[in-house]
Structure formats: structure tokens, C-alpha cells
Amino acid sequence: MAIVKKYPSEVVSVENKIDNIYTVTFKSLAGHYKYAPGQFLHLALDEVDPSAGWPESRCFSMQSAPGGETTAITYAAKGTFTQRMASELKPGKTVTLKLPYGELFTDDFNREKVVFIAGGTGITPYLSLFCHSSFADYVNPILYLGVRNQTLNIYKNEIEQAKAINPGLSVHIICEDTDGRLNIERIAKEYGSHSVYFISGPPVMIKSFKTYLAENGIDEASIKTDDWE
């Protein structure tokens, strides 16, 4: 099990390509971040006082491949905490990150038939794998990314990087305004009961997709979800 560590960190950059969606890159002020692809962190905005315990925080998937002094997250400014993030996180701001958590890709599973299903920013934990050298070990992986419209597909550069690491990657971008929503029934029929399915996205989507797969012959061990929220 990975050792969880607190990293004082500085905000390097903040991107706001579309309304209410922010990508923040942090630089560790205490050595390289240590985590595995698919893991997540706790972000605290307030100063950490060891005598007072860990302050209010939120969990976010790390979308950068591990191994460097920087890591990035993407979030939607919806609730009180994330709206505060949108207001306070500026280049030069210092925060504390606590990581790593999660075991999304560390379990043993067949890497020859893997289907990655993501709704919107749910793709972020996959990106930390897709842009890591270990992604080359997957045989002809498939990605289904659902977005409301094409302008919300802000991960084109990372997907191209993933294709360079693993040319066998098959990518399906499903735009709700033109293609409808992600259809788990159609995906399951195409890839069958011998595939491993990863699901990441809104909690309602994760629950419904997981339930459908479990009720239609997919072994529980072959359904892996990023649902720590």
C-alpha cells in the first residue's frame, strides 16, 4: 500500500477553456509527487495546522502521468468548495495536497480486452494512465468519451499523446447534442462478457452502467469504477 504524504504545493497554472471547467497544475515544494496512474488526492485550501487536524478538503483525480514535480486536476466549479477554488487558485498560490489514494489500475486484470468509459471530466483518471509508459502494455484498448458537445472535448492533446504511446487505442467521442448519450447496452453488446470495463464520470452514470453490466453477464471483478466521491 502506498504511503500517504502531505505535499506543500504551488499553483503553476490555471486554465479555464470553457465555462466553469478549470484545469489546475500544481508543483510540489517537497520533492516529486509519488503516485500510480489512476490515483487521487485530497486538496486543502486552508493552511494545515498539525495541532488542529486536516482541514476541509475535496478529492480529485490526478490526470498527469506520475513521476514529475507537477500534477494536474480538472474540476467543475459547482459547489461551495469548488467555487472557492475557482476564486482562490491563482498562479503562485500555495496549498497542501495529500496523496496518493485509490487502486484503480493496480489490481491484476486482463489487459488484452479493456474498455474505458468516461463521462466528461471522468476521463481524468484515465489520462494519468494513457500518458504513462505502462499504457503500452494494453492490447487494443478502447475509449468511449461522452461529452455534451464537441467544444467540451478539451482532452485532444492528451488523447493524441495516448495514441503515440499505444497506437492500438481506439477512440470514440460521443457528443450528446449530435449522437445522444453514451449507450452502455450498445457498448456491452459490442465488447461482450470477456472484456474488462472501467467506468468514470457522474455518480448516476457510474451506478446505472455498473448495474446494467452486472445484470447482463459481466463478472463483478471485470467492472471497475472510479467512484470515490
Side-chain angles (χ1 to χ4, degrees), residues 100-142:
Y101 294 92
E103 301 176 341
L104 189 61
F105 301 122
T106 56
D107 291 340
D108 187 30
F109 57 90
N110 185 355
R111 286 164 172 76
E112 294 185 4
K113 291 187 175 182
V114 181
V115 182
F116 298 92
I117 305 170
T121 58
I123 193 176
T124 53
Y126 301 161
L127 298 180
S128 65
L129 171 67
F130 291 174
C131 297
H132 188 257
S133 59
S134 62
F135 188 50
D137 298 335
Y138 289 70
V139 179
N140 298 324
I142 299 101

Side-chain angles (χ1 to χ4, degrees), residues 20-135:
N20 295 324
I21 303 294
Y22 296 83
T23 298
V24 185
T25 300
F26 302 96
K27 178 180 180 180
S28 172
L29 301 176
H32 287 199
Y33 297 114
K34 294 182 180 180
Y35 61 95
Q39 294 191 300
F40 63 92
L41 56 78
H42 281 257
L43 164 66
L45 295 172
D46 297 318
E47 184 176 351
V48 176
D49 179 356
S51 65
W54 182 247
E56 182 184 14
S57 64
R58 291 293 183 278
C59 302
F60 299 95
S61 295
M62 292 173 279
Q63 69 187 62
S64 305
E69 289 184 342
T70 64
T71 192
I73 64 171
T74 293
Y75 71 94
K78 293 181 178 179
T80 301
F81 192 88
T82 51
Q83 288 175 350
R84 185 180 166 197
M85 287 171 60
S87 173
E88 296 183 18
L89 292 182
K90 311 294 182 185
K93 165 82 172 177
T94 57
V95 297
T96 303
L97 308 180
K98 186 164 62 170
L99 62 110
Y101 294 92
E103 301 176 341
L104 189 61
F105 301 122
T106 56
D107 291 340
D108 187 30
F109 57 90
N110 185 355
R111 286 164 172 76
E112 294 185 4
K113 291 187 175 182
V114 181
V115 182
F116 298 92
I117 305 170
T121 58
I123 193 176
T124 53
Y126 301 161
L127 298 180
S128 65
L129 171 67
F130 291 174
C131 297
H132 188 257
S133 59
S134 62
F135 188 50

